[in-house]
Amino acid sequence: MYTLLLPTSFSIKGIFSAASAAALSLWDRAAAGKRKEEWITNRAGSLSFKVQVHQLSSGKWTAGILTRSGTFYGNHRFGSLKKSDEVFRSYRQARRFALKLANQTANLRYAYQ
């Protein structure tokens, strides 16, 4: 009779961990295509900021902020803030970071411009 030894790294917890990571990655990709971001406007109403999240070829995520100046449709000028060099593991982390930065920019840095 032969006894087969299983490797010590094999565990049910490891399998479920890998499966849940794959499911979250698929969920992030699906959520990225469906989400419509709102413009965050400063107190004066002349500057607005919108979150942009992009997936890199490595599968990680990065975030940026789109800016809009002007008070009405024909008067808008668009630009973007300098992209951060930060890379995130998930779409949610990148979006949370960008939303926090956009809110601070609108309410603190450019509140009355």
Side-chain angles (χ1 to χ4, degrees):
M1 178 171 193
Y2 294 101
T3 305
L4 297 175
L5 298 175
L6 294 174
T8 57
S9 64
F10 176 78
S11 69
I12 300 297
K13 184 178 179 183
I15 292 172
F16 285 120
S17 174
S20 66
L24 282 175
S25 177
L26 288 173
W27 178 261
D28 286 344
R29 289 182 187 162
K34 292 180 183 177
R35 189 172 301 271
K36 287 280 193 186
E37 295 294 341
E38 300 279 330
W39 287 96
I40 300 168
T41 306
N42 69 344
R43 293 178 185 173
S46 59
L47 282 172
S48 298
F49 304 92
K50 189 176 190 178
V51 172
Q52 291 183 321
V53 180
H54 303 284
Q55 187 170 23
L56 303 173
S57 58
S58 64
K60 303 218 180 222
W61 298 84
T62 185
I65 297 176
L66 181 67
T67 63
R68 179 180 72 184
S69 63
T71 53
F72 57 91
Y73 179 72
N75 190 17
H76 289 163
R77 291 180 186 231
F78 295 91
S80 63
L81 295 179
K82 182 177 180 249
K83 262 184 140 171
S84 65
D85 294 335
E86 294 195 43
V87 177
F88 302 93
R89 288 186 296 164
S90 71
Y91 172 83
R92 286 178 286 175
Q93 287 177 340
R95 184 175 177 273
R96 188 178 306 129
F97 170 79
L99 274 174
K100 213 180 271 189
L101 186 61
N103 277 316
Q104 289 176 356
T105 305
N107 295 320
L108 299 174
R109 175 68 175 97
Y110 297 109
Y112 297 103
Q113 285 188 353

